[in-house]
Amino acid sequence: MTAGREHEPAGQYRHRSVLLDSAVDLLVNDPDGVYVDGTFGRGGHSRLILGRLGQGGKLLGIDKDPDAIQVARDLSASDARFQPFHGSFAELGAAAEAQGWMKVNGVLLDLGVSSPQLDDAARGFSFMRDGPLDMRMDPGQAPSAAQWLAEADEKDIANVIWRYGEEKFSRRIARLVVERRKEAPLETTRQLASLVSEAVPKKEKHKHPATRTFQAIRIFINRELEDLELGLNAAVEKLMPGGRLVVISFHSLEDRLVKRFMRDLARGPRLPKGVPVTAEQEASAFRLIGKANKADTEEVSDNVRARSAVMRVLERIPEQHKLGSA
């Protein structure tokens, strides 16, 4: 699912995943362990993880996108240590248990929309190329962006664009969508981008006026933030002591959610304000590994989409560490 994932080496896509090496370095702590790549994409992270694993290691690759899963199945056919799962990483717990894994050594989530999805006009994710107004990561799910915009209330459209895109002109955009669809439904990305440009009176320098609206509708259509909350909780439930959750985010809404989730777990149980402390507070079972990690200048120059990437890592504290510090 992410804006910087390595592209399929078969020919069309060849870009290297954002924060590829550092993410895998932080994830893999046991070459014979079991791991989950919750956002397989075109397999950039998965291939490097497999390269770090021994013969006893195992990897599960999850993705909503049927095109990504086809690539994953091809990889599985050539490497028995890898298994694909078609679905959301919100289903991570069930997907792992289907492999017989009650606990895992690590989980990687590389969030957002992938470069192949953005670059394929037929998927309707980008206003840079004209195509059908779809935006579904799994085209088998409903509704598409066009279907939703054709039926949703003006207030709901405005709320989505504001909540998920933080677009201050969301009401103007929603009003114009409803007016225009009386004449004809919005069917292409170019039509929506043009409408947003018309509705937004004040343009941001170096930023297309439709950027926030496209982001918002995509996040809503694919339930990205809801799935992220479910996926984060499922991941920490599955982590064994010493296991790590590595998350790469590409916009502020995702990163705020991940940062808060990891921070709260690392702090441990919090007593309500005003409650007198009569016993030692229970220590957290988790800790943060390092600070937020960002792509360096060289990587950003190679892939402009890397400039907004933020990586955070959470570890379930190893048993021996907890015993040693008791």
Side-chain angles (χ1 to χ4, degrees):
M1 281 176 24
T2 222
R5 209 167 295 147
E6 182 180 351
H7 296 172
E8 167 60 11
Q12 289 185 325
Y13 305 107
R14 292 189 178 275
H15 206 336
R16 187 174 177 80
S17 298
V18 170
L19 297 167
L20 174 64
D21 293 290
S22 54
V24 176
D25 287 344
L26 287 163
L27 178 75
V28 178
N29 56 16
D30 180 356
D32 291 320
V34 294
Y35 298 87
V36 179
D37 181 353
T39 46
F40 177 81
R42 295 303 183 267
H45 286 115
S46 283
R47 290 186 180 89
L48 187 56
I49 292 168
L50 289 168
R52 304 281 180 87
L53 297 184
Q55 287 305 307
K58 301 288 183 182
L59 176 63
L60 177 67
I62 300 174
D63 210 291
K64 294 180 179 180
D65 191 330
D67 291 343
I69 288 302
Q70 185 54 58
V71 176
R73 288 174 180 145
D74 292 342
L75 178 58
S76 177
S78 64
D79 193 327
R81 299 173 301 165
F82 176 80
Q83 290 298 321
F85 178 85
H86 185 198
S88 168
F89 53 64
E91 305 169 80
L92 188 153
E97 287 170 16
Q99 300 297 316
W101 305 347
M102 294 302 103
K103 295 293 180 181
V104 302
N105 294 79
V107 176
L108 172 66
L109 301 179
D110 187 11
L111 307 175
V113 63
S114 71
S115 294
Q117 290 168 333
L118 284 170
D119 294 339
D120 184 353
R123 301 300 300 273
F125 285 105
S126 175
F127 48 78
M128 301 302 291
R129 295 172 175 81
D130 194 27
L133 191 55
D134 194 314
M135 299 195 194
R136 291 172 294 180
M137 292 178 181
D138 183 352
Q141 300 294 315
S144 68
Q147 289 169 332
W148 179 70
L149 286 171
E151 299 171 0
D153 292 338
E154 180 179 327
K155 184 177 179 181
D156 290 340
I157 296 172
N159 286 342
V160 164
I161 297 172
W162 168 251
R163 180 182 178 190
Y164 299 122
E166 299 177 309
E167 171 57 71
K168 61 184 177 181
F169 298 111
S170 59
R171 291 181 181 178
R172 285 174 176 260
I173 296 166
R175 188 180 310 122
L176 193 55
V177 166
V178 172
E179 287 176 6
R180 291 290 171 80
R181 75 186 185 189
K182 293 175 183 176
E183 304 167 11
L186 293 168
E187 295 179 339
T188 71
T189 55
R190 183 171 294 167
Q191 287 173 340
L192 178 58
S194 177
L195 181 149
V196 174
S197 295
E198 183 179 339
V200 173
K202 188 176 181 180
K203 309 298 191 288
E204 293 180 63
K205 193 174 182 179
H206 305 308
K207 192 167 191 175
H208 193 288
T211 300
R212 296 179 188 277
T213 297
F214 269 68
Q215 171 188 292
I217 295 172
R218 188 204 81 219
I219 289 172
F220 172 76
I221 290 294
N222 293 288
R223 293 179 48 84
E224 291 179 39
L225 295 187
E226 292 89 344
D227 277 8
L228 178 54
E229 289 196 54
L230 292 170
L232 291 172
N233 280 289
V236 297
E237 283 292 320
K238 283 294 171 189
L239 285 182
M240 64 178 64
R244 290 180 173 180
L245 168 61
V246 179
V247 184
I248 303 172
S249 306
F250 284 84
H251 63 72
S252 59
L253 291 176
E254 293 173 338
D255 185 53
R256 282 201 297 267
L257 195 159
V258 173
K259 180 181 179 180
R260 184 174 65 248
F261 177 85
M262 290 187 174
R263 179 200 63 201
D264 290 350
L265 277 180
R267 282 179 176 174
R270 310 295 288 180
L271 294 174
K273 287 184 178 180
V275 174
V277 178
T278 57
E280 184 177 346
Q281 186 172 336
E282 182 182 351
S284 173
F286 297 90
R287 65 185 176 188
L288 300 174
I289 301 298
K291 297 181 179 179
N293 193 334
K294 297 186 178 183
D296 59 26
T297 304
E298 182 179 353
E299 185 168 7
V300 172
S301 65
D302 180 56
N303 176 13
V304 69
R305 291 171 184 163
R307 68 178 180 265
S308 59
V310 180
M311 180 170 67
R312 299 183 187 275
V313 184
L314 181 76
E315 180 183 76
R316 184 180 287 275
I317 297 173
E319 293 293 346
Q320 65 268 26
H321 181 91
K322 291 198 294 186
L323 290 171
S325 61

